[in-house]
């Protein structure tokens, strides 16, 4: 029944995909990144109800003034910054823990036991690449777009993965499609959610 468990995560992603467009953008994102003061106040009212949010708005304006001279770092600059090494190490440990994901699917695909660790390592590298890519494009597209797109891709990939796993006994080539879909799922997850 492991395929039912795998499908459950797709159901959760689908529910989030359906409801996410109805939520407003983050007020700090609207003010600090988009410089949309009216949109920020509108989002505050949508999130917190009617009221006077001038204090919160003033706090965001102070934060904007403080960060005005702050340079936004790209990925390579972050990797060179020693103060973020503990956070980077934590992130890398989490990525390396993904090596155990998909072992059942990899066995279903009749991969040799000796190649499964390398395929799992490839999954971890895919996640790392997608996170680096996401951090490069998040300011351009915004979190909402990446979340919606990521969840939509994940839901589609999970439907295809479930289908390929169910039909893999009849069509042997679908077993290898399952492995590719796992890679694509990890990439969609890293770019979006």
């Amino acid at each position: 029944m492991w395929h039912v468990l795998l499908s459950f995560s797709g159901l959760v992603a689908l529910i989030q995909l359906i409801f996410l467009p109805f939520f407003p953008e983050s007020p700090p994102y609207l003010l600090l990144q988009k410089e949309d003061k009216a949109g920020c106040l509108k989002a505050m009212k949508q999130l917190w109800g009617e009221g006077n949010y001038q204090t919160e708005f003033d706090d965001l304006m102070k934060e904007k003034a403080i960060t005005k001279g702050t340079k936004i770092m790209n990925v390579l600059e972050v990797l060179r910054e020693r103060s973020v090494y503990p956070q980077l190490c934590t992130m890398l440990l989490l990525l390396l823990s993904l090596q155990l994901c998909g072992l059942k699917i990899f066995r279903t695909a009749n991969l040799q036991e000796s190649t499964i660790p390398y395929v799992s390592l490839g999954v971890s590298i895919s996640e790392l690449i997608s996170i680096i890519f996401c951090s490069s494009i998040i300011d351009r597209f915004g979190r909402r777009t990446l979340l919606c797109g990521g969840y939509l891709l994940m839901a589609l990939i999970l439907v295809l993965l479930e289908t390929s796993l169910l039909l893999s006994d009849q069509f042997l080539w679908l077993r290898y499609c399952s492995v590719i879909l796992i890679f694509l799922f990890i990439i969609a997850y890293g770019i979006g959610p």
Side-chain angles (χ1 to χ4, degrees):
M1 298 296 289
W2 63 269
H3 58 282
V4 174
L5 183 62
L6 181 66
S7 300
F8 180 73
S9 63
L11 177 66
V12 172
L14 183 63
I15 291 170
Q16 290 177 347
L17 178 66
I18 290 169
F19 288 107
L20 191 61
F22 298 107
F23 290 105
E25 287 282 0
S26 165
Y29 170 75
L30 289 171
L31 184 65
L32 301 175
Q33 299 290 327
K34 297 285 187 178
E35 298 184 5
D36 182 6
K37 293 178 182 178
C40 175
L41 288 170
K42 181 181 175 188
M44 285 179 174
K45 288 180 181 177
Q46 281 181 300
L47 288 169
W48 304 322
E50 290 297 323
N52 185 6
Y53 300 108
Q54 192 61 41
T55 305
E56 290 84 358
F57 185 78
D58 290 341
D59 288 343
L60 287 175
M61 290 301 287
K62 288 177 189 174
E63 183 179 339
K64 182 178 179 180
I66 291 171
T67 60
K68 187 174 184 178
T70 305
K71 180 186 174 213
I72 296 175
M73 300 170 71
N74 64 29
V75 176
L76 291 176
E77 291 171 337
V78 170
L79 292 174
R80 291 185 196 129
E81 182 66 38
R82 291 191 182 275
S83 64
V84 297
Y85 281 177
Q87 293 89 343
L88 286 174
C89 289
T90 303
M91 183 183 76
L92 287 174
L93 285 174
L94 288 172
L95 291 174
L96 291 174
S97 69
L98 285 174
Q99 288 185 346
L100 298 176
C101 75
L103 291 180
K104 176 70 175 170
I105 293 170
F106 298 149
R107 288 192 179 113
T108 303
N110 284 338
L111 294 177
Q112 294 177 357
E113 288 289 326
S114 61
T115 62
I116 290 177
Y118 297 109
V119 175
S120 295
L121 181 61
V123 168
S124 298
I125 291 170
S126 297
E127 170 107 15
L128 180 63
I129 290 169
S130 65
I131 288 172
I132 291 171
F133 179 69
C134 176
S135 65
S136 301
I137 64 171
I138 195 166
D139 289 334
R140 184 175 307 144
F141 295 105
R143 291 183 181 165
R144 179 186 211 142
T145 304
L146 292 179
L147 279 172
C148 285
Y151 280 128
L152 183 63
L153 280 173
M154 288 168 58
L156 176 67
I157 290 168
L158 284 174
V159 167
L160 294 173
L161 181 60
E162 181 68 21
T163 304
S164 70
L165 290 173
L166 289 174
L167 299 174
S168 64
D169 290 336
Q170 297 168 351
F171 305 100
L172 296 179
W173 58 271
L174 280 176
R175 294 177 178 179
Y176 297 100
C177 287
S178 300
V179 175
I180 293 168
L181 288 169
I182 287 289
F183 276 91
L184 292 176
F185 181 82
I186 296 297
I187 291 170
Y189 175 79
I191 290 174

